[in-house]
């Protein structure tokens, strides 16, 4: 389906946002991709989910636009875990990849 409205206008309507989330959950679940939905503090839920998935032998990438995700990862991620934050690029701006270890002082 071709979108005829701007993303900001579409997502400003709570019914549109809820229906989109339901559709995404249904589609991803049907493809056997683990899905969890957050209510309230989504940043905290996203980081906790990533931290629960990472082990000493695996890497986890948290992808988002909100720098709060990187702040939470920096504060909460154990230094022996390979967990990263990726901020997707837009148009001519490249993706950025951050390690919480490099953000600690």
């Amino acid at each position: 389906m071709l979108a005829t409205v701007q993303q900001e206008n579409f997502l400003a309507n709570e019914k549109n946002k809820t229906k989109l989330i339901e559709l995404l959950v249904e589609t991803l679940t049907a493809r056997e991709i683990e899905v969890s939905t957050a209510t309230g503090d989504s940043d905290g839920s996203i980081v906790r989910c990533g931290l629960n998935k990472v082990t000493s032998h695996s890497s986890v990438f948290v992808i988002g636009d909100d720098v709060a995700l990187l702040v939470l990862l920096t504060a909460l991620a154990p230094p022996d875990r390979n967990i990263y934050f990726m901020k997707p690029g837009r148009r001519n701006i490249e993706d950025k990849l951050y390690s919480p270890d490099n953000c600690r002082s």
Side-chain angles (χ1 to χ4, degrees), residues 23-60:
L23 179 63
L24 288 171
V25 168
E26 180 182 312
T27 301
L28 294 170
T29 302
R31 292 190 168 105
E32 298 182 3
I33 298 172
E34 184 179 336
V35 176
S36 64
T37 55
T39 57
D41 178 21
S42 60
D43 291 339
S45 295
I46 292 166
V47 169
R48 280 190 300 278
C49 182
L51 291 172
N52 288 337
K53 296 294 177 191
V54 72
T55 67
S56 59
H57 302 294
S58 69
S59 296
V60 169

Side-chain angles (χ1 to χ4, degrees), residues 47 51 67-79 83 99-105:
V47 169
L51 291 172
V67 72
L69 295 169
L70 177 59
V71 172
L72 288 169
L73 283 172
T74 301
L76 300 174
I83 189 162
S99 168
D101 288 338
N102 294 338
C103 296
R104 294 184 179 105
S105 53

Side-chain angles (χ1 to χ4, degrees), residues 86-98:
M86 188 181 93
K87 182 173 182 183
R90 301 275 190 246
R91 296 186 184 110
N92 295 339
I93 300 172
E94 293 183 18
D95 296 345
K96 301 278 186 183
L97 184 64
Y98 300 92

